[in-house]
Amino acid sequence: MFKIPFLDLPPLRAAAGTVRLPGSKSISNRVLLLAGLSEGQTLVHDLLDSDDTAVMLASLKVLGCQLEQVPGGPLKVTGIGGRLVNKDAQLFLGNAGTAMRPLTAALALLAATQGGAFELAGVARMHERPIGDLVDALRELGCEIACLGSEGYPPLRLSGPSRLRLAEPVRVRGDVSSQFLTALLLALPLVAQQDVVVEVVGELISKPYVHITLELLKRFGIEVRADGWQRFTIPAGSRYRSPGEVHVEGDASSASYFVALGAIAAADTPIRIEGVGSASLQGDVRFVEAAQAMGAEVRAEANALEVKRGAWPLKALDLDCNHIPDAAMTLAVMALYADGPSTLRNIASWRVKETDRIAAMATELRKLGASVEEGPDWLRVHPLRAWKPASIHTYDDHRVAMCFSLAAFNGLVTDSAVPVRILEPHCVAKTFPDYFETLFEVVTARPEDIPVLTIDGPTASGKGTLADEVAHELGYVILDSGMLYRATGLAAHRAGLDLDDGAAVAAIVPAMDLHFRKGRVTLGEEDITEALRAEAAGLMASQVAAHPQVRSALNQLQLDFRRVPGLVADGRDMGSTVFPDAPLKVFLTASAATRAERRYKQLISKGISASMEGLRADLEARDARDKGRSASPLKPAQDAQSLDNSAQTIEESRDLVLAWWAERRPF
């Protein structure tokens, strides 16, 4: 996950490959609550690992549930059997509506029947999300609920005991959020000594999410009798019984971004999406129908989808989106690639989600240059051809961040492709922590569109540390070119090759799966950092570096590190020879005395004796050799920014380089 202030996406051109979806948020939190309330143990497979599930798990633990993660396997949940273990607790639920609403209902009813006091709170945005209709329904039942801030909004205090009135139907509005009805359906079996009836007032929105609730209740032993979508009866004597094992299917809302990706950019080879398909419980899988209406070619299996571009540009559509409220946001960005204006209707629920999503989508689409119209429950988006580079404010809303990643494909409809900046990209942790990493695995960009920042300099100037810091702040790939020859020699030696056979050594270079991050080097899954620092690795590096074939292969490998979203490369000739088109080239210097002192401190900290004078002499001699080399001599590129860090901390150098980089970006 990219825990950085912003992530810049270069213009993207194509997509192909396979995506494995994380578990459904809606199913994960429902299953966790049901398992926590049930008797016995439940093994939960493929549970979503996200912010929303984390707060639910933390709450269940506080309430007395036992949670055990089986190594490499399912989560074992031992439920409380409907009996409160802890009757006094404060729960923090972040911005997770799928935790706040059902826990409010369940704890209000348990406090009423068993006594207790519970306070439920969240982040500031959660305290702006209405819960009054659920609170009103629970108060009508006899629950004692106090709104600790604004009436009708969290934070809440739930207390008891109190006398419940279950003889009359429980009435709840259905036209604001289906989560209110879901919360009651999940909680009322706890107190169903008699038939309990729930009546929906008004038109129920987001019916597919209620369908998920009803199906999961069946798995835990509760057979709710439904009369259409207006009246639901929980039978007398209902109680939760663990099914033993539950498998969480992939998140259909998250699938929408990759279905859209296929419709937009999979022109030759389809995107395969594993985890949802024709057998999915989730209503958002019907996003596929909307994508098909816009021209996508889709092949559905029981638990997988394959999506390819069909019509291009996409076809405009006018759609009632009540059945796919979360996934429909993706259509707003797809509309930018359409052949006419697209209208999304019946989306009033967007106003009370993680943010006011109608206003948010309209605002951010306009930043890109789009013409957008909005109403109380609709949004109209016109296709866009003259795109502007934009910083997309994500409002701490995971779906805004993921939707707007698709705007990076603007080069498919304009000759002047522009990058897109996603602010606070880590907000995707709510449902899909590795979203951007997953996206980058299946998209391609032109090499010239992928930004490169180079940091060259003499030995012990700190260029590797600086490159690591800069790459981390930008979310970019890192290339430590100085370690490539050592890694090549080590890999060839391990493969049993003759290091004097240049052709044989060069042949293994393209297959080396090397990664550099925070001063560590991995080859495949193995950390080889310490092995590369050994004297033997240096000797092997010198041996293989003598072969022209190896140097040529490593030059290509260096070029291949130019990957989405961008690259920071450090070495001796990254800016002058390997990446001469890099928009920012830094030549890092420091006095020989400063570098000798740094190296001395490093060696002493490791228990290695050293002489300051000797280290300085060695560095000066190394500088002379590097500058006098016939191949790739050490020298700054003509347009390099010189940075003497003799008197700077690494943080000061990093911030200066990032400031130079910001001057070269279009945002």
Side-chain angles (χ1 to χ4, degrees), residues 11 160 163 237 308 363 593:
R163 184 179 180 82
K308 189 177 177 183
T363 298

Side-chain angles (χ1 to χ4, degrees), residues 186-253:
L186 292 173
L188 284 168
L190 294 166
V191 294
Q193 286 81 29
Q194 61 190 77
D195 282 3
V196 181
V197 176
V198 182
E199 291 183 349
V200 177
V201 179
E203 177 69 18
L204 177 63
I205 64 172
S206 306
K207 296 181 181 70
Y209 286 103
V210 177
H211 173 71
I212 293 173
T213 301
L214 296 174
E215 289 299 314
L216 292 176
L217 283 167
K218 285 182 186 177
R219 295 184 189 181
F220 282 84
I222 310 296
E223 289 279 352
V224 177
R225 299 193 298 271
D227 183 4
W229 295 103
Q230 298 302 125
R231 184 180 173 93
F232 302 86
T233 303
I234 294 93
S238 292
R239 64 185 181 91
Y240 291 119
R241 295 185 298 276
S242 170
E245 293 187 273
V246 177
H247 290 262
V248 178
E249 65 184 54
D251 189 74
S253 299

Side-chain angles (χ1 to χ4, degrees), residues 9 19 22 56 89 141 155 170 175 242 251 291 355 370 375 394 404 437 440 465 607 616 632:
L9 308 181
V19 171
M56 178 64 89
L141 268 171
V170 183
D175 57 353
S242 170
D251 189 74
T355 188
T394 51
F404 277 93
E437 291 89 340
F440 295 156
T465 304
R616 179 171 178 172
S632 301

Side-chain angles (χ1 to χ4, degrees), residues 409-555:
F409 288 91
N410 58 82
L412 299 178
V413 292
T414 178
D415 293 331
S416 301
V418 298
V420 176
R421 172 170 289 179
I422 306 295
L423 300 175
E424 307 296 338
H426 47 82
C427 68
V428 300
K430 185 174 176 67
T431 52
F432 201 157
D434 296 328
Y435 171 75
F436 287 105
E437 291 89 340
T438 303
L439 177 70
F440 295 156
E441 289 176 0
V442 294
V443 300
T444 56
R446 294 174 182 170
E448 61 269 23
D449 285 337
I450 300 174
V452 178
L453 189 160
T454 65
I455 301 176
D456 291 320
T459 301
S461 60
K463 58 185 180 292
T465 304
L466 178 58
D468 266 336
E469 289 287 326
V470 171
H472 175 73
E473 288 296 312
L474 297 174
Y476 284 3
V477 177
I478 181 76
L479 166 60
D480 182 346
S481 64
M483 286 293 186
L484 287 181
Y485 285 96
R486 287 176 175 251
T488 302
L490 180 65
H493 174 72
R494 289 181 171 183
L497 300 179
D498 180 355
L499 299 189
D500 290 326
D501 186 345
V505 174
I508 71 167
V509 169
M512 289 197 306
D513 183 24
L514 278 173
H515 299 273
F516 306 93
R517 184 168 181 81
K518 283 293 178 184
R520 310 302 296 179
V521 187
T522 56
L523 179 62
E525 297 297 322
E526 181 187 358
D527 188 326
I528 60 171
T529 309
E530 300 308 320
L532 295 184
R533 290 172 178 166
E535 184 178 355
L539 295 173
M540 289 187 289
S542 297
Q543 196 170 351
V544 299
H547 305 302
Q549 308 102 305
V550 174
R551 291 200 301 272
S552 176
L554 285 175
N555 182 70

Side-chain angles (χ1 to χ4, degrees), residues 526-598:
E526 181 187 358
D527 188 326
I528 60 171
T529 309
E530 300 308 320
L532 295 184
R533 290 172 178 166
E535 184 178 355
L539 295 173
M540 289 187 289
S542 297
Q543 196 170 351
V544 299
H547 305 302
Q549 308 102 305
V550 174
R551 291 200 301 272
S552 176
L554 285 175
N555 182 70
Q556 184 58 52
L557 182 62
Q558 290 170 342
L559 294 174
D560 290 343
F561 268 84
R562 193 170 192 168
R563 303 168 192 157
V564 174
L567 172 67
V568 178
D570 83 81
R572 188 181 60 247
D573 61 349
M574 293 294 99
S576 59
T577 303
V578 182
F579 298 106
D581 63 336
L584 175 60
K585 307 181 183 85
V586 176
F587 192 80
L588 191 65
T589 63
S591 67
T594 298
R595 289 184 285 138
E597 182 181 358
R598 291 171 179 168

Side-chain angles (χ1 to χ4, degrees), residues 327-342:
M329 292 175 68
T330 312
L331 296 173
V333 179
M334 290 177 72
L336 300 175
Y337 301 98
D339 58 5
S342 294

